[in-house]
Amino acid sequence: MELTRVIVILAQCVWPLWTQVIHLTDMYGTIKSPNFPESYPKEIELQWNITVPEGYQIRLYFMHFDIEPSYLCEYDYLKVYSDTEELAVFCGKENTDTEQVPANDAIVSPRNVLSVAFRSDFSNEERYSGFEAHFSAVDVDECRDRNDEDLACDHFCHNYISGFYCSCRYGFLLHSDNRTCKVECSESVYTERSGEITSADFPKPYPKSSDCIFLLISMLTCTFLFQLVVSSHNSSQPSRSESLVGEQHLQVCSPGRSCSQ
Amino acid sequence: MELTRVIVILAQCVWPLWTQVIHLTDMYGTIKSPNFPESYPKEIELQWNITVPEGYQIRLYFMHFDIEPSYLCEYDYLKVYSDTEELAVFCGKENTDTEQVPANDAIVSPRNVLSVAFRSDFSNEERYSGFEAHFSAVDVDECRDRNDEDLACDHFCHNYISGFYCSCRYGFLLHSDNRTCKVECSESVYTERSGEITSADFPKPYPKSSDCIFLLISMLTCTFLFQLVVSSHNSSQPSRSESLVGEQHLQVCSPGRSCSQ
């Protein structure tokens, strides 16, 4: 029997089995081995390619699993992929040191595609009833799961089924990048003899992507003292406002002189 | 001021304010007080009626809340309903003994409808910036949340976004009610001189909605001994198979005699 298997495997390298591919775009469904609940036929190569819209993952779990056991699942097997990444290989009816069955564990695809490949070889020494599995699209909570700094929201992140959007705290405006929160702060005029100016939201970290102009004017002499031009950039780690001058672009302009930085 | 308020309230009982109703059927969105982030106008009655498809609930939370405080929110308020059930009443800027603000708590509607009613009275003594809230449809996991016995699945419950379906363990069939699992067990013939018959799935609880016939025939005398007809019903609490005779409909029929129960 083993020699025959080797010959068949070698033959399959030269004339590989024809793989039947089934494309599924439903949001949920059931996949079963051929003839289920009767035993599955020999020499089968079947692959289900499941695709759901962007913003979803795919959850897969098995209600029944009984596939011919073999060392490292080299004969009959069920493999689960996402793109080209192999997520699991199963065979048998219970876990051993070298082979796994899905049991009650669910597999969740990292993206919106999942493939299930089932193969039976040329013979089954016993009757194996095959498998039955349920798949369904599950929403990705980007506000909870997303680690990508470029896509994270500056203030509020609102998840919805299939996507998310950002918004800003009261007093802030959403930048055109739809992520960053900025302030509208051009031309703040200060005419008191003394006082304090602070960056927006002080002492919290000051907003990104904002251009603020502070005009300090002496009303006693009606002279323009100087102008501070403060620009913050879309920094991934905004510094605290105490270090405003040192870490950001700050211009001090006096009448009749060029601006210093 | 208080007398004026009383007069206005009485006047409104006779000529109630016209309530502007906004119907929303989007799966997510933002609702804001009029003029937000500027202060809201006086004498406003606005209601947002949010409806999402069956199989969803609606989650609502607030990013900003600042409404004129008053005892028991009798002047300006924001109320949240689902159908006619009042889920919350808010006013003010922070919680007091008698008034609540939404803070960081989310409200989840029990069904697929949610209404938000906002009212401002004839005057605001200060400037109040109003509110901004996010709502989104969230999937109901019927397999986890459903307590309704009639809708629960007998064996496997599979949730998907906007619904669920049932399936049965290997060897069982789904009844036409799409919930119950039955067995195909008609006309089991027993010809041994002695033996044991058990209900399907014994010693687990026997399946609902199944009609099983056990034919016991003596091959020595070629005579039909008797026939057991066992019917189980869609009981909400199936008894264990040990008590099969006592709790279910069981007929014993002998040739030439009527069936006994």
Side-chain angles (χ1 to χ4, degrees):
Chain A
M1 178 62 79
E2 286 309 302
L3 179 63
T4 321
R5 281 199 195 269
V6 170
I7 293 168
V8 169
I9 289 166
L10 285 173
Q12 285 174 2
C13 293
V14 185
W15 301 285
L17 288 177
W18 177 70
T19 301
Q20 185 188 350
V21 179
I22 298 165
H23 294 280
L24 298 172
T25 53
D26 298 327
M27 294 296 274
Y28 67 94
T30 304
I31 56 175
K32 306 171 182 182
S33 49
N35 300 342
F36 187 86
E38 302 302 317
S39 55
Y40 56 81
K42 60 184 182 177
E43 288 184 280
I44 283 283
E45 286 222 13
L46 249 174
Q47 183 163 317
W48 293 263
N49 289 343
I50 308 166
T51 307
V52 294
E54 290 274 349
Y56 295 91
Q57 292 169 300
I58 300 165
R59 189 163 179 262
L60 175 84
Y61 59 80
F62 290 79
M63 291 81 81
H64 181 78
F65 195 87
D66 178 25
I67 287 180
E68 182 190 26
S70 59
Y71 177 69
L72 294 177
C73 304
E74 60 185 334
Y75 299 150
D76 295 4
Y77 59 73
L78 184 139
K79 291 184 180 176
V80 184
Y81 303 88
S82 185
D83 290 323
T84 54
E85 182 188 359
E86 187 177 282
L87 302 178
V89 183
F90 299 123
C91 67
K93 198 168 187 173
E94 53 192 24
N95 283 334
T96 68
D97 290 345
T98 48
E99 294 84 43
Q100 300 287 307
V101 293
N104 294 322
D105 296 333
I107 295 169
V108 179
S109 65
R111 290 206 319 111
N112 63 326
V113 291
L114 191 79
S115 294
V116 179
F118 172 61
R119 178 188 182 273
S120 68
D121 71 349
F122 74 100
S123 78
N124 285 333
E125 291 172 14
E126 291 178 32
R127 180 189 178 280
Y128 302 103
S129 50
F131 69 90
E132 186 182 29
H134 164 79
F135 71 88
S136 59
V138 288
D139 178 42
V140 179
D141 187 339
E142 291 89 352
C143 298
R144 190 188 57 199
D145 302 336
R146 200 125 210 177
N147 294 318
D148 188 343
E149 172 69 30
D150 292 338
L151 290 172
C153 295
D154 220 14
H155 289 183
F156 298 120
C157 180
H158 309 291
N159 184 66
Y160 59 87
I161 293 176
S162 80
F164 75 107
Y165 71 97
C166 302
S167 75
C168 300
R169 285 196 296 272
Y170 180 73
F172 290 79
L173 295 171
L174 192 63
H175 190 269
S176 57
D177 64 7
N178 287 327
R179 303 282 180 271
T180 315
C181 294
K182 63 177 187 175
V183 283
E184 201 65 73
C185 57
S186 57
E187 299 270 343
S188 304
V189 180
Y190 296 83
T191 56
E192 293 80 14
R193 291 196 66 182
S194 65
E196 194 176 60
I197 60 168
T198 62
S199 55
D201 225 20
F202 183 84
K204 292 179 183 168
Y206 55 81
K208 302 171 185 172
S209 307
S210 299
D211 290 302
C212 301
I213 297 175
F214 302 83
L215 282 173
L216 281 65
I217 297 176
S218 166
M219 297 304 283
L220 286 176
T221 56
C222 288
T223 54
F224 167 52
L225 288 179
F226 58 86
Q227 169 184 314
L228 290 174
V229 183
V230 183
S231 299
S232 67
H233 306 288
N234 198 342
S235 160
S236 58
Q237 291 190 328
S239 58
R240 291 181 62 80
S241 51
E242 288 90 331
S243 57
L244 180 72
V245 175
E247 300 203 12
Q248 300 295 311
H249 177 79
L250 186 145
Q251 286 183 312
V252 180
C253 313
S254 297
R257 295 185 186 184
S258 59
C259 298
S260 64
Q261 290 190 21
Chain B
M1 178 62 80
E2 286 309 301
L3 178 63
T4 321
R5 278 197 197 271
V6 169
I7 293 167
V8 169
I9 289 166
L10 285 173
Q12 285 173 4
C13 293
V14 185
W15 302 285
L17 287 177
W18 176 70
T19 302
Q20 185 188 352
V21 179
I22 299 166
H23 294 279
L24 298 171
T25 54
D26 298 328
M27 295 295 274
Y28 66 94
T30 304
I31 57 176
K32 305 172 182 181
S33 49
N35 299 344
F36 186 86
E38 302 302 318
S39 54
Y40 56 81
K42 60 185 182 178
E43 288 184 279
I44 282 284
E45 286 221 14
L46 248 175
Q47 182 162 319
W48 293 263
N49 290 343
I50 308 166
T51 308
V52 295
E54 290 274 350
Y56 295 91
Q57 292 168 301
I58 300 165
R59 190 163 178 264
L60 175 84
Y61 57 82
F62 291 78
M63 291 82 81
H64 181 78
F65 194 88
D66 177 25
I67 287 181
E68 182 191 25
S70 58
Y71 177 68
L72 295 178
C73 303
E74 60 186 332
Y75 300 151
D76 294 5
Y77 59 73
L78 185 138
K79 291 184 179 178
V80 185
Y81 303 88
S82 183
D83 290 323
T84 54
E85 182 188 359
E86 187 178 281
L87 302 178
V89 182
F90 299 124
C91 68
K93 199 169 187 172
E94 53 191 23
N95 283 333
T96 68
D97 290 346
T98 48
E99 293 84 44
Q100 299 288 307
V101 293
N104 294 321
D105 296 332
I107 295 170
V108 179
S109 66
R111 291 206 319 111
N112 62 326
V113 290
L114 191 80
S115 294
V116 178
F118 172 62
R119 178 187 181 275
S120 68
D121 70 350
F122 75 99
S123 78
N124 286 333
E125 291 172 13
E126 291 178 32
R127 181 191 178 278
Y128 302 103
S129 48
F131 68 91
E132 185 183 31
H134 165 78
F135 71 89
S136 60
V138 288
D139 179 42
V140 179
D141 187 340
E142 292 88 353
C143 297
R144 190 189 58 199
D145 302 336
R146 200 126 209 175
N147 293 318
D148 188 344
E149 173 68 28
D150 293 336
L151 291 171
C153 295
D154 220 14
H155 288 184
F156 298 120
C157 180
H158 309 292
N159 184 66
Y160 59 87
I161 293 174
S162 79
F164 76 107
Y165 71 98
C166 302
S167 76
C168 301
R169 285 197 297 272
Y170 180 72
F172 290 79
L173 295 171
L174 192 63
H175 190 271
S176 57
D177 64 7
N178 287 328
R179 303 282 180 271
T180 316
C181 294
K182 63 177 186 175
V183 283
E184 200 65 73
C185 57
S186 57
E187 299 271 342
S188 304
V189 180
Y190 295 83
T191 56
E192 293 79 14
R193 292 196 65 181
S194 66
E196 193 177 61
I197 60 169
T198 62
S199 55
D201 224 21
F202 183 84
K204 291 179 184 167
Y206 55 81
K208 302 171 186 172
S209 307
S210 299
D211 291 301
C212 301
I213 298 176
F214 303 82
L215 283 173
L216 281 65
I217 297 175
S218 165
M219 297 304 283
L220 285 176
T221 57
C222 287
T223 54
F224 167 51
L225 288 179
F226 59 85
Q227 170 184 311
L228 292 173
V229 182
V230 183
S231 299
S232 66
H233 305 288
N234 198 342
S235 159
S236 60
Q237 291 191 327
S239 58
R240 291 181 61 82
S241 51
E242 288 91 331
S243 57
L244 179 71
V245 176
E247 299 205 12
Q248 299 296 312
H249 178 78
L250 185 146
Q251 286 182 312
V252 180
C253 312
S254 298
R257 298 186 186 183
S258 59
C259 298
S260 64
Q261 290 190 20

